[in-house]
Amino acid sequence: MTKPKGLIIVLIIFIFLLMVASSAGHSTGQTENSYKAGNGKVVLFINLTGTVSAGTTNMFRSELSNIDNSSVKAVIISVDAGGGMLQQALDIDKYINSTENKGINVYAYVLPGGSATYTATYVTMDATGLYMAPGTMIGLSQPDLVGGTSTQEQNDIIQMGHVMESMALAHNRNGTAASSMVLNDSEYSSAQASNIKLSDGNFASMNAMLAGLNLSAYGKEYVHQSVYDNFLGFIANPLIAGIFILIGIVAVFLDLYHGTIVLSVIGVVMIGLGLLGADIINASIFGLILLLLAGILIFLEFKTNHGIALLSGLITGIAGIYFLASSYGTSSPGYSPAPFGESFYMFSIAIILIGILLIIYISKILKSQRREIYTGAESLKGHSADVVTPMKRNGKGFVMIDGVQWEAINIGVDVNRSEKVVIIERKGLTLIVKKI
């Protein structure tokens, strides 16, 4: 593949990913599953487990958008979930409310051994009926504003406390206890929640709940996240999106020294996927600006070659990743709990160490290409090299000498990859070669 053609392909991929990124976060497609009347009504079971993510929201949208009470008797959400982005939970609430408006009850059941904490509480509290298995827990719903001031965070907590209270009161539950899960980060056991009317009761098992709600006789349909939902859940994460963008920038930067198209393609794809994830989570513009600045500093290293610009770019990139989750410049109510834990700090240390290794690696390449005594123009003359990219007569390409790639001009017959050429002379950092 010639370099111009490769660049065109990279540009096409980049444009395509940007188009996907601009539309994926706002998809309004119709549900893939249609429950038709005539075969008897069914109870639709939806699993809400792990983290509440964009994939979770898409699953609820896909399954609840087009159902009606002629085919679905009730929806049951099986819950064992915790953290995530609060906006995703509020979006799920819209689909729950829409389903209730169609005359279909939506029940949440906290599974035995499970819990409904952090972001998941905002989903369960908006259900028509909220039931818990004995020994389970609910609460710890206080939001966390990444990069926000204490005043901003307190205002957000108060606002989300009102949201939680209104959801509880709308379903005849204890609004004061509900708001306390947000304002005071309170947590309640299943027994406590039932006693204070925060929940609607306890059932030892799902079958017991079905019997108690007179739903045992209906057919059952089970819903799980699709491959696409899992992909959305993975990429729509500030840490993953930021890592993809930063690593993509570094990959393209390294291709400046290698002169191939492979790292550029990988880098552009990773940047595109990172931007897709950032778009879905409505990432802070401040975080994106920091990542852009990181890219500028990293590419400045190609001119300076002293390592400072590269390390500064990586540190700025780490800050950019952190602020992708910030509510600065967005309407996001934040996360519950904070999206960054030990993994973020471990990643930061790893990135700095990798940066140091890259500086050593680049220094080695530059030293190999520029030294005059041992690999000067005269000493390279007559040496053989391996062809990296095919070259036509008088065409340009790349050859490999002692593990280092050089730009070359072929003055002989056409040569293919892996063939041997001899160095006729060196002009600057370009070698004049011909087939042996």
Side-chain angles (χ1 to χ4, degrees):
M1 179 186 295
T2 63
K3 195 169 184 179
K5 288 183 179 178
L7 288 173
I8 292 174
I9 292 175
V10 169
L11 183 61
I12 291 173
I13 293 174
F14 184 65
I15 293 173
F16 171 75
L17 288 172
L18 285 180
M19 291 173 62
V20 173
S22 65
S23 61
H26 315 287
S27 175
T28 55
Q30 299 300 313
T31 178
E32 296 178 0
N33 295 316
S34 179
Y35 306 98
K36 297 180 180 179
N39 297 322
K41 291 186 178 182
V42 301
V43 175
L44 186 63
F45 291 81
I46 301 179
N47 278 338
L48 178 60
T49 56
T51 300
V52 179
S53 67
T56 313
T57 304
N58 190 66
M59 174 181 64
F60 274 86
R61 179 198 62 78
S62 298
E63 298 302 329
L64 299 184
S65 290
N66 281 346
I67 63 173
D68 58 56
N69 61 7
S70 65
S71 56
V72 176
K73 175 63 178 179
V75 174
I76 294 180
I77 305 172
S78 305
V79 183
D80 181 14
M85 191 174 182
L86 290 175
Q87 187 58 54
Q88 301 295 345
L90 299 180
D91 289 342
I92 292 173
D93 289 337
K94 294 177 183 178
Y95 299 118
I96 292 176
N97 296 153
S98 176
T99 302
E100 290 174 322
N101 291 336
K102 297 174 184 177
I104 303 173
N105 288 336
V106 179
Y107 301 103
Y109 178 62
V110 184
L111 297 168
S115 63
T117 52
Y118 304 117
T119 302
T121 57
Y122 293 85
V123 177
T124 56
M125 193 54 60
D126 210 26
T128 312
L130 168 56
Y131 301 95
M132 303 173 67
T136 56
M137 306 295 292
I138 187 172
L140 303 176
S141 314
Q142 193 167 100
D144 191 298
L145 276 183
V146 176
T149 66
S150 58
T151 300
Q152 290 172 326
E153 187 165 59
Q154 191 58 39
N155 289 338
D156 187 55
I157 291 173
I158 293 173
Q159 179 182 354
M160 296 310 295
H162 290 321
V163 170
M164 186 71 81
E165 181 181 24
S166 65
M167 289 191 295
L169 294 175
H171 296 89
N172 298 315
R173 300 190 191 106
N174 188 329
T176 301
S179 65
S180 181
M181 293 192 299
V182 181
L183 301 178
N184 304 311
D185 215 23
S186 301
E187 185 179 30
Y188 302 96
S189 68
S190 56
Q192 291 172 323
S194 178
N195 289 337
I196 63 175
K197 305 302 181 184
L198 180 64
S199 73
D200 299 301
N202 298 328
F203 287 105
S205 66
M206 179 68 76
N207 287 334
M209 188 183 79
L210 291 174
L213 298 176
N214 297 318
L215 297 174
S216 299
Y218 293 93
K220 301 177 180 62
E221 293 283 351
Y222 295 91
V223 174
H224 303 276
Q225 289 193 26
S226 67
V227 173
Y228 178 66
D229 294 334
N230 287 325
F231 166 74
L232 287 180
F234 172 75
I235 201 65
N237 176 302
L239 180 59
I240 298 300
I243 289 175
F244 270 48
I245 293 173
L246 187 58
I247 292 180
I249 291 171
V250 172
V252 176
F253 163 71
L254 287 177
D255 227 1
L256 296 176
Y257 294 92
H258 283 270
T260 66
I261 203 67
V262 177
L263 285 176
S264 293
V265 171
I266 293 173
V268 169
V269 170
M270 293 191 73
I271 292 171
L273 290 173
L275 290 174
L276 170 61
D279 178 75
I280 294 173
I281 64 173
N282 190 26
S284 168
I285 188 65
F286 184 55
L288 292 172
I289 290 174
L290 284 174
L291 283 168
L292 175 61
L293 178 59
I296 293 173
L297 289 170
I298 289 172
F299 279 93
L300 184 62
E301 179 66 25
F302 186 68
K303 291 292 184 182
T304 59
N305 295 318
H306 49 44
I308 296 176
L310 177 58
L311 275 181
S312 298
L314 292 175
I315 293 172
T316 303
I318 292 170
I321 294 173
Y322 180 81
F323 280 101
L324 282 181
S326 172
S327 295
Y328 181 82
T330 75
S331 58
S332 170
Y335 293 76
S336 180
F340 299 127
E342 291 183 1
S343 59
F344 175 74
Y345 301 105
M346 293 176 63
F347 161 76
S348 300
I349 294 172
I351 283 293
I352 299 301
L353 293 176
I354 290 173
I356 294 172
L357 293 176
L358 285 177
I359 291 172
I360 297 172
Y361 173 68
I362 293 170
S363 176
K364 180 181 177 181
I365 292 177
L366 294 175
K367 184 178 180 181
S368 176
Q369 288 184 340
R370 292 174 178 173
R371 64 191 177 192
E372 291 295 330
I373 298 177
Y374 300 104
T375 55
E378 294 302 319
S379 63
L380 284 175
K381 185 177 180 179
H383 283 236
S384 64
D386 297 310
V387 177
V388 176
T389 58
M391 292 181 285
K392 294 185 178 298
R393 181 179 177 84
N394 296 323
K396 288 186 177 182
F398 292 89
V399 296
M400 182 80 72
I401 305 173
D402 296 330
V404 177
Q405 287 195 136
W406 291 75
E407 187 175 40
I409 298 176
N410 173 35
I411 62 172
V413 297
D414 297 356
V415 290
N416 296 316
R417 181 182 175 85
S418 299
E419 289 185 336
K420 294 284 187 179
V421 292
V422 63
I423 300 169
I424 306 302
E425 62 177 308
R426 170 182 162 185
K427 294 182 178 180
L429 296 179
T430 301
L431 303 179
I432 309 301
V433 302
K434 70 175 183 179
K435 186 174 182 179
I436 295 176

